[in-house]
């Protein structure tokens, strides 16, 4: 990387090298038998350069001279670059590779054990169990002096199965550690949620309370991320423009960006541009306290990057993508009520764990409209799974009296409690 940056400087180019090495391992069981074991090593590199005030980018497998040459050629016809690449900086101590990572044989045994727990109770399930380990090394260096490396590693276990004579599934995903603690809890939770869906129950139409399981919290987090984005603020398309220190959500909602939690295997010392990350409050008891800026949108808004430049997008991303404003590690703070007590308070409503068709709504303005994956709730009891039921709302209008559970679930994308929204629009899709 250093040689590439030296060559860039000799050509009077500012340059940034992003190089990630991933070593994914995945084992999968279907129909009671192992169906796949995948091990791989993938190197991906992206080089951005600024020449004569214009940006160019090129990608390859490793930081080699042809990638720099291609980026320089792209810059000749590139867009104007308002930013500077990351300078030398002090960042949090880099994570070390996870010494507690499970080997392939241990992942196989863990997945097999969960499968046995579930099939022992429900032998006819078309069950899919997958245990995965992801280890990665991210290296970033710039001609301005930044040079950083961080190691991350995490393991997940997921189980899913289709409901009888239905196209929908129920799934559960949890992080794994060396102790493989919590397997029985995961199996029991999955079996309960599956049993709830063995028959269909249809709720009335209209405005009803909806309890979002942590897996469905994207209905809040994704529109909010879009509104907090420096890109939307620069384009004057964000509904949060000019609302700093004003109430935007209910006072029961506190939302944080927590990349530096020492015990979190997804900790980030710096973002995908080399800007140091920091723990920040984005929404404090419903009041807007922070936005998401990468180096480009920070420069356009005459502010510093908030350490939120990531190669992510609402519906994609990857090493080949330019950085965008994105949370490093979104955390929705929990409350003091057990989630089953929230469920018990619902006289007529829904419990949902997912939704299809989110992309079709104007999420930038806080709207969502999805076909709900979940259950009909009546008098605090789950009556059956939903079929052809639509749920729609707006986070800035409908979440002002939202309540959150004490229980939280840590997922690869975010950490969230259950969220009870007093009223969302429920309709039958036909």
């Amino acid at each position: 990387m250093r040689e590439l940056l030296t060559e860039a400087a000799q050509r009077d180019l500012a340059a940034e090298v992003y190089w990630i090495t991933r070593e994914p391992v995945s084992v999968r069981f279907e129909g009671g038998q192992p169906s796949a074991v995948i091990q791989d090593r993938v190197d991906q590199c992206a080089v951005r350069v600024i020449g004569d005030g214009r940006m160019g980018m090129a990608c390859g497998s490793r930081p080699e001279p042809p990638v720099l040459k291609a980026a320089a050629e792209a810059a000749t016809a590139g867009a104007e670059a308002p930013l500077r690449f990351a300078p030398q900086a002090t960042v949090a101590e880099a994570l070390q590779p996870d010494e507690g990572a499970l080997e392939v044989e241990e992942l196989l045994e863990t997945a097999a054990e969960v499968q046995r727990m579930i099939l022992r109770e429900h032998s006819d399930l078309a069950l899919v169990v997958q245990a995965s380990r992801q280890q990665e090394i991210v290296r970033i260096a710039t001609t301005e002096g930044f040079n950083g490396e961080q190691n991350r590693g995490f393991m997940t276990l997921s189980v899913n199965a289709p409901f009888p004579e239905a196209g929908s599934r129920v799934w559960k995903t949890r992080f794994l550690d060396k102790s493989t603690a919590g397997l029985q809890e995961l199996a029991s939770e999955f079996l309960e949620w599956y049993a709830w869906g063995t028959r269909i129950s249809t709720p009335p139409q209209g405005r009803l309370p909806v309890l979002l399981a942590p897996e469905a919290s994207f209905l809040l987090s994704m529109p909010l991320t879009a509104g907090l984005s420096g890109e939307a603020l620069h384009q004057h398309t964000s509904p949060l423009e000019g609302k700093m220190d004003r109430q935007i959500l209910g006072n029961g909602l506190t939302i944080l960006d927590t990349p530096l939690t020492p015990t979190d295997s997804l900790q980030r010392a710096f973002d995908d541009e080399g800007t140091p990350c920091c723990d920040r409050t984005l929404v404090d008891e419903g009041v807007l306290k922070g936005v998401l800026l990468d180096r480009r949108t920070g420069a356009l808004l005459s502010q510093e990057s908030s350490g939120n430049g990531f190669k992510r997008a609402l519906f994609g991303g990857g090493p080949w993508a330019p950085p965008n404003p994105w949370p490093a590690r979104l955390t929705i703070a929990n409350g003091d009520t057990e989630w089953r007590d929230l469920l018990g308070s619902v006289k007529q409503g829904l419990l949902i764990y997912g939704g299809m068709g989110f992309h079709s709504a104007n999420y930038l303005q806080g709207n969502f409209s999805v076909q709900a994956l979940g259950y009909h709730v009546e008098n605090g009891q789950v009556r059956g799974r939903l079929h052809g039921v639509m749920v729609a709302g707006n986070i800035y209008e409908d979440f002002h009296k939202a309540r959150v559970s004490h229980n939280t679930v840590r997922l690869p994308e975010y950490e969230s409690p259950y969220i009870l929204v007093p009223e969302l629009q429920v309709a039958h899709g036909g």
Side-chain angles (χ1 to χ4, degrees), residues 144-165:
E144 279 67 24
F146 184 83
N147 189 7
E149 177 178 309
Q150 57 187 354
N151 299 276
R152 303 202 306 164
F154 60 94
M155 299 180 293
T156 57
L157 178 68
S158 65
V159 294
N160 73 82
F163 289 119
E165 301 178 357

Side-chain angles (χ1 to χ4, degrees), residues 26 60 66 115 124 132 160 191 289-290 300 307 369 391 420:
S26 178
Q115 178 178 258
D124 59 343
S132 301
N160 73 82
L191 284 165
K289 290 295 182 180
L300 290 170
S369 179
V391 173
L420 179 59

Side-chain angles (χ1 to χ4, degrees), residues 87-94 146-150 260 268-271 274-277:
Q88 183 177 0
T90 301
V91 298
E93 183 178 352
F146 184 83
N147 189 7
E149 177 178 309
Q150 57 187 354
L260 300 182
R268 295 295 300 256
F270 51 85
D271 67 11
T275 305
C277 292

Side-chain angles (χ1 to χ4, degrees), residues 116-193:
R116 286 191 291 269
M117 291 176 180
I118 294 173
L119 293 183
R120 192 161 48 231
E121 302 295 326
H122 214 308
S123 60
D124 59 343
L125 276 184
L127 183 67
V128 176
V129 180
Q130 183 165 317
S132 301
R133 185 187 78 205
Q134 177 78 39
Q135 290 180 289
E136 63 184 36
I137 303 173
V138 177
R139 313 165 190 86
I140 298 175
T142 70
T143 49
E144 279 67 24
F146 184 83
N147 189 7
E149 177 178 309
Q150 57 187 354
N151 299 276
R152 303 202 306 164
F154 60 94
M155 299 180 293
T156 57
L157 178 68
S158 65
V159 294
N160 73 82
F163 289 119
E165 301 178 357
S168 60
R169 292 174 172 263
V170 63
W171 64 87
K172 292 292 174 181
T173 299
R174 294 294 184 270
F175 278 88
L176 276 174
D177 57 31
K178 185 72 172 180
S179 69
T180 65
L183 297 187
Q184 183 60 62
E185 180 183 353
L186 174 62
S188 298
E189 182 180 348
F190 173 81
L191 284 165
E192 179 181 37
W193 287 57

Side-chain angles (χ1 to χ4, degrees), residues 12-26:
D12 200 26
L13 297 170
E16 169 198 271
V17 181
Y18 171 94
W19 180 17
I20 183 169
T21 301
R22 288 194 176 102
E23 295 187 22
V25 178
S26 178

